CSV table of all heavy atoms in Angstrom, one decimal:
chain,number,residue,atom,x,y,z
A,21,ILE,N,-12.0,-4.6,-3.8
A,21,ILE,CA,-11.5,-3.3,-4.0
A,21,ILE,C,-12.7,-2.4,-4.1
A,21,ILE,O,-13.7,-2.7,-4.9
A,21,ILE,CB,-10.7,-3.2,-5.4
A,21,ILE,CG1,-9.5,-4.2,-5.3
A,21,ILE,CG2,-10.3,-1.8,-5.7
A,21,ILE,CD1,-8.8,-4.3,-6.7
A,22,ALA,N,-12.8,-1.3,-3.3
A,22,ALA,CA,-13.9,-0.5,-3.2
A,22,ALA,C,-13.6,1.0,-3.5
A,22,ALA,O,-12.5,1.5,-3.2
A,22,ALA,CB,-14.5,-0.6,-1.8
A,23,GLY,N,-14.5,1.6,-4.2
A,23,GLY,CA,-14.3,3.0,-4.6
A,23,GLY,C,-14.1,3.2,-6.0
A,23,GLY,O,-13.5,2.4,-6.7
A,24,LYS,N,-14.6,4.3,-6.6
A,24,LYS,CA,-14.5,4.5,-8.0
A,24,LYS,C,-13.0,4.6,-8.5
A,24,LYS,O,-12.7,3.9,-9.5
A,24,LYS,CB,-15.2,5.8,-8.4
A,24,LYS,CG,-16.7,5.8,-8.1
A,24,LYS,CD,-17.3,7.2,-8.4
A,24,LYS,CE,-18.8,7.2,-8.0
A,24,LYS,NZ,-19.4,8.5,-8.2
A,25,HIS,N,-12.2,5.4,-7.9
A,25,HIS,CA,-10.9,5.6,-8.4
A,25,HIS,C,-10.0,4.3,-8.2
A,25,HIS,O,-9.3,3.9,-9.1
A,25,HIS,CB,-10.2,6.8,-7.6
A,25,HIS,CG,-8.9,7.2,-8.3
A,25,HIS,ND1,-8.9,7.7,-9.6
A,25,HIS,CD2,-7.6,7.2,-7.9
A,25,HIS,CE1,-7.7,8.1,-9.9
A,25,HIS,NE2,-6.9,7.7,-8.9
A,26,PRO,N,-10.1,3.6,-7.0
A,26,PRO,CA,-9.3,2.4,-6.8
A,26,PRO,C,-9.7,1.3,-7.8
A,26,PRO,O,-8.8,0.6,-8.4
A,26,PRO,CB,-9.6,2.0,-5.4
A,26,PRO,CG,-9.9,3.2,-4.7
A,26,PRO,CD,-10.6,4.1,-5.7
A,27,VAL,N,-11.0,1.2,-8.1
A,27,VAL,CA,-11.4,0.2,-9.1
A,27,VAL,C,-10.9,0.5,-10.5
A,27,VAL,O,-10.5,-0.3,-11.3
A,27,VAL,CB,-13.0,0.0,-9.1
A,27,VAL,CG1,-13.4,-0.9,-10.2
A,27,VAL,CG2,-13.4,-0.6,-7.8
A,28,LEU,N,-11.0,1.8,-10.8
A,28,LEU,CA,-10.6,2.3,-12.1
A,28,LEU,C,-9.1,2.0,-12.3
A,28,LEU,O,-8.6,1.6,-13.4
A,28,LEU,CB,-10.9,3.8,-12.3
A,28,LEU,CG,-10.5,4.3,-13.7
A,28,LEU,CD1,-11.2,3.6,-14.9
A,28,LEU,CD2,-10.9,5.8,-13.7
A,41,TRP,N,-19.4,-4.7,-9.2
A,41,TRP,CA,-20.7,-4.4,-8.9
A,41,TRP,C,-20.9,-2.8,-8.8
A,41,TRP,O,-20.0,-2.2,-8.2
A,41,TRP,CB,-21.1,-5.0,-7.6
A,41,TRP,CG,-21.3,-6.5,-7.6
A,41,TRP,CD1,-22.5,-7.1,-7.9
A,41,TRP,CD2,-20.3,-7.5,-7.3
A,41,TRP,NE1,-22.3,-8.5,-7.8
A,41,TRP,CE2,-21.0,-8.7,-7.5
A,41,TRP,CE3,-19.0,-7.4,-7.0
A,41,TRP,CZ2,-20.3,-9.9,-7.3
A,41,TRP,CZ3,-18.3,-8.6,-6.8
A,41,TRP,CH2,-18.9,-9.8,-7.0
A,42,ILE,N,-21.9,-2.3,-9.4
A,42,ILE,CA,-22.1,-0.8,-9.3
A,42,ILE,C,-23.6,-0.6,-8.8
A,42,ILE,O,-24.5,-1.3,-9.2
A,42,ILE,CB,-22.0,-0.2,-10.7
A,42,ILE,CG1,-20.5,-0.3,-11.2
A,42,ILE,CG2,-22.4,1.3,-10.6
A,42,ILE,CD1,-20.3,0.2,-12.6
A,43,ALA,N,-23.7,0.2,-7.8
A,43,ALA,CA,-25.0,0.5,-7.2
A,43,ALA,C,-25.9,1.2,-8.3
A,43,ALA,O,-25.4,2.1,-9.0
A,43,ALA,CB,-24.9,1.4,-6.0
A,44,ASP,N,-27.2,0.8,-8.4
A,44,ASP,CA,-28.0,1.3,-9.4
A,44,ASP,C,-28.4,2.8,-9.1
A,44,ASP,O,-29.1,3.4,-10.0
A,44,ASP,CB,-29.3,0.5,-9.5
A,44,ASP,CG,-30.0,0.2,-8.2
A,44,ASP,OD1,-29.7,0.9,-7.2
A,44,ASP,OD2,-30.8,-0.8,-8.1
A,45,THR,N,-28.0,3.3,-8.0
A,45,THR,CA,-28.3,4.7,-7.7
A,45,THR,C,-27.1,5.7,-8.1
A,45,THR,O,-27.2,6.9,-8.1
A,45,THR,CB,-28.5,4.9,-6.2
A,45,THR,OG1,-27.3,4.4,-5.5
A,45,THR,CG2,-29.7,4.2,-5.7
A,46,VAL,N,-26.0,5.1,-8.6
A,46,VAL,CA,-24.9,5.9,-9.0
A,46,VAL,C,-25.1,6.5,-10.3
A,46,VAL,O,-25.7,5.9,-11.2
A,46,VAL,CB,-23.6,5.0,-9.1
A,46,VAL,CG1,-22.4,5.8,-9.7
A,46,VAL,CG2,-23.2,4.5,-7.7
A,47,GLN,N,-24.7,7.8,-10.4
A,47,GLN,CA,-24.8,8.5,-11.7
A,47,GLN,C,-24.0,7.8,-12.8
A,47,GLN,O,-22.8,7.6,-12.6
A,47,GLN,CB,-24.4,10.0,-11.6
A,47,GLN,CG,-25.4,10.8,-10.8
A,47,GLN,CD,-25.0,12.3,-10.8
A,47,GLN,OE1,-23.9,12.6,-11.3
A,47,GLN,NE2,-25.9,13.1,-10.2
A,48,LYS,N,-24.6,7.4,-13.9
A,48,LYS,CA,-23.9,6.6,-14.9
A,48,LYS,C,-22.7,7.4,-15.4
A,48,LYS,O,-21.7,6.7,-15.8
A,48,LYS,CB,-24.9,6.3,-16.0
A,48,LYS,CG,-26.1,5.4,-15.6
A,48,LYS,CD,-25.6,4.1,-15.0
A,48,LYS,CE,-26.8,3.3,-14.7
A,48,LYS,NZ,-27.7,3.8,-13.6
A,50,SER,N,-20.6,9.2,-14.0
A,50,SER,CA,-19.4,9.2,-13.0
A,50,SER,C,-18.7,7.8,-13.1
A,50,SER,O,-17.6,7.7,-12.6
A,50,SER,CB,-19.9,9.4,-11.6
A,50,SER,OG,-20.7,8.4,-11.1
A,51,VAL,N,-19.4,6.8,-13.6
A,51,VAL,CA,-18.7,5.5,-13.7
A,51,VAL,C,-18.5,5.0,-15.1
A,51,VAL,O,-18.1,3.9,-15.3
A,51,VAL,CB,-19.6,4.4,-12.9
A,51,VAL,CG1,-19.6,4.7,-11.4
A,51,VAL,CG2,-21.0,4.3,-13.4
A,54,ILE,N,-15.2,3.5,-15.9
A,54,ILE,CA,-15.1,2.1,-15.3
A,54,ILE,C,-15.8,1.1,-16.2
A,54,ILE,O,-15.2,0.0,-16.6
A,54,ILE,CB,-15.7,2.0,-13.9
A,54,ILE,CG1,-14.8,2.9,-12.9
A,54,ILE,CG2,-15.8,0.6,-13.4
A,54,ILE,CD1,-15.4,3.0,-11.5
A,70,LYS,N,-27.9,-0.8,-3.8
A,70,LYS,CA,-26.8,-0.3,-3.0
A,70,LYS,C,-26.6,-1.0,-1.7
A,70,LYS,O,-25.6,-1.2,-1.1
A,70,LYS,CB,-27.0,1.2,-2.7
A,70,LYS,CG,-25.9,1.9,-1.8
A,70,LYS,CD,-26.2,3.3,-1.6
A,70,LYS,CE,-25.2,3.9,-0.6
A,70,LYS,NZ,-25.3,3.4,0.8
A,73,LEU,N,-24.1,-3.8,-1.6
A,73,LEU,CA,-22.7,-3.4,-1.4
A,73,LEU,C,-22.5,-3.0,0.1
A,73,LEU,O,-21.4,-3.3,0.6
A,73,LEU,CB,-22.4,-2.3,-2.3
A,73,LEU,CG,-22.6,-2.5,-3.8
A,73,LEU,CD1,-22.1,-1.3,-4.6
A,73,LEU,CD2,-21.9,-3.8,-4.3
A,74,ASP,N,-23.4,-2.4,0.7
A,74,ASP,CA,-23.3,-2.0,2.1
A,74,ASP,C,-23.1,-3.3,3.0
A,74,ASP,O,-22.4,-3.3,4.0
A,74,ASP,CB,-24.5,-1.3,2.6
A,74,ASP,CG,-24.7,0.1,1.9
A,74,ASP,OD1,-23.6,0.6,1.4
A,74,ASP,OD2,-25.8,0.6,1.9
A,78,LEU,N,-17.2,-3.9,4.1
A,78,LEU,CA,-15.7,-3.7,3.8
A,78,LEU,C,-15.0,-2.7,4.7
A,78,LEU,O,-13.8,-2.6,4.7
A,78,LEU,CB,-15.6,-3.2,2.3
A,78,LEU,CG,-16.2,-4.2,1.3
A,78,LEU,CD1,-16.0,-3.6,-0.1
A,78,LEU,CD2,-15.5,-5.6,1.4
A,79,GLY,N,-15.8,-1.9,5.4
A,79,GLY,CA,-15.2,-1.0,6.4
A,79,GLY,C,-14.7,0.3,5.7
A,79,GLY,O,-14.0,1.1,6.3
A,80,VAL,N,-15.1,0.5,4.5
A,80,VAL,CA,-14.7,1.8,3.7
A,80,VAL,C,-15.9,2.3,2.9
A,80,VAL,O,-16.8,1.5,2.7
A,80,VAL,CB,-13.5,1.5,2.7
A,80,VAL,CG1,-12.3,1.2,3.5
A,80,VAL,CG2,-13.8,0.4,1.7
A,81,GLN,N,-15.9,3.5,2.5
A,81,GLN,CA,-16.9,4.1,1.7
A,81,GLN,C,-16.7,3.6,0.3
A,81,GLN,O,-15.7,3.9,-0.3
A,81,GLN,CB,-16.9,5.6,1.8
A,81,GLN,CG,-17.2,6.2,3.1
A,81,GLN,CD,-18.7,5.9,3.5
A,81,GLN,OE1,-19.6,6.0,2.6
A,81,GLN,NE2,-18.9,5.6,4.8
A,82,HIS,N,-17.6,2.8,-0.2
A,82,HIS,CA,-17.4,2.2,-1.5
A,82,HIS,C,-17.8,3.0,-2.7
A,82,HIS,O,-17.6,2.7,-3.9
A,82,HIS,CB,-18.1,0.8,-1.6
A,82,HIS,CG,-19.6,0.9,-1.2
A,82,HIS,ND1,-20.5,1.5,-2.0
A,82,HIS,CD2,-20.2,0.3,-0.2
A,82,HIS,CE1,-21.7,1.4,-1.4
A,82,HIS,NE2,-21.6,0.7,-0.3
A,83,GLN,N,-18.6,4.2,-2.4
A,83,GLN,CA,-19.0,5.1,-3.4
A,83,GLN,C,-19.8,4.4,-4.5
A,83,GLN,O,-19.9,4.9,-5.7
A,83,GLN,CB,-17.8,5.8,-4.2
A,83,GLN,CG,-16.9,6.5,-3.2
A,83,GLN,CD,-15.7,7.1,-3.9
A,83,GLN,OE1,-14.9,6.3,-4.5
A,83,GLN,NE2,-15.5,8.4,-3.8
A,84,GLY,N,-20.5,3.3,-4.1
A,84,GLY,CA,-21.3,2.6,-5.1
A,84,GLY,C,-20.6,1.7,-6.1
A,84,GLY,O,-21.2,1.3,-7.0
A,85,VAL,N,-19.3,1.5,-5.9
A,85,VAL,CA,-18.5,0.6,-6.8
A,85,VAL,C,-17.6,-0.3,-6.0
A,85,VAL,O,-16.9,0.1,-5.2
A,85,VAL,CB,-17.6,1.5,-7.7
A,85,VAL,CG1,-16.9,0.6,-8.7
A,85,VAL,CG2,-18.5,2.5,-8.5
A,86,VAL,N,-17.8,-1.6,-6.3
A,86,VAL,CA,-17.0,-2.6,-5.6
A,86,VAL,C,-16.6,-3.7,-6.7
A,86,VAL,O,-17.4,-4.1,-7.5
A,86,VAL,CB,-17.8,-3.4,-4.5
A,86,VAL,CG1,-17.0,-4.5,-4.0
A,86,VAL,CG2,-18.1,-2.4,-3.4
A,87,ALA,N,-15.3,-4.1,-6.6
A,87,ALA,CA,-14.8,-5.1,-7.5
A,87,ALA,C,-14.3,-6.3,-6.7
A,87,ALA,O,-13.7,-6.1,-5.6
A,87,ALA,CB,-13.7,-4.6,-8.4
A,155,TRP,N,-6.5,-0.3,-0.1
A,155,TRP,CA,-6.8,0.0,-1.5
A,155,TRP,C,-7.5,1.4,-1.6
A,155,TRP,O,-7.1,2.2,-2.4
A,155,TRP,CB,-7.6,-1.0,-2.2
A,155,TRP,CG,-7.0,-2.4,-2.3
A,155,TRP,CD1,-7.3,-3.6,-1.6
A,155,TRP,CD2,-5.9,-2.7,-3.1
A,155,TRP,NE1,-6.5,-4.6,-2.0
A,155,TRP,CE2,-5.6,-4.1,-2.9
A,155,TRP,CE3,-5.1,-2.0,-4.1
A,155,TRP,CZ2,-4.6,-4.8,-3.6
A,155,TRP,CZ3,-4.1,-2.7,-4.7
A,155,TRP,CH2,-3.8,-4.0,-4.5
A,156,LYS,N,-8.5,1.5,-0.8
A,156,LYS,CA,-9.3,2.8,-0.9
A,156,LYS,C,-8.5,4.0,-0.5
A,156,LYS,O,-8.5,5.0,-1.1
A,156,LYS,CB,-10.5,2.7,0.0
A,156,LYS,CG,-11.5,3.9,0.0
A,156,LYS,CD,-12.1,4.0,-1.3
A,156,LYS,CE,-13.4,5.0,-1.3
A,156,LYS,NZ,-13.0,6.3,-0.7
A,157,THR,N,-7.7,3.9,0.7
A,157,THR,CA,-6.9,5.0,1.2
A,157,THR,C,-5.8,5.3,0.2
A,157,THR,O,-5.4,6.5,0.1
A,157,THR,CB,-6.4,4.7,2.6
A,157,THR,OG1,-7.4,4.2,3.4
A,157,THR,CG2,-5.7,5.9,3.2
A,159,ALA,N,-5.9,5.4,-2.9
A,159,ALA,CA,-6.5,6.0,-4.1
A,159,ALA,C,-6.0,5.3,-5.3
A,159,ALA,O,-5.8,5.9,-6.4
A,159,ALA,CB,-6.2,7.5,-4.1
A,160,GLY,N,-5.8,4.0,-5.3
A,160,GLY,CA,-5.4,3.2,-6.4
A,160,GLY,C,-3.9,3.0,-6.5
A,160,GLY,O,-3.4,2.3,-7.4
Side-chain angles (χ1 to χ4, degrees):
I21 302 175
K24 297 175 184 176
H25 196 65
V27 171
L28 182 58
W41 289 271
I42 298 177
D44 50 21
T45 54
V46 172
Q47 292 184 351
K48 300 300 186 291
S50 68
V51 293
I54 293 174
K70 178 178 176 294
L73 302 184
D74 295 337
L78 300 178
V80 294
Q81 293 295 321
H82 53 67
Q83 300 175 306
V85 180
V86 172
W155 293 110
K156 181 68 165 54
T157 309

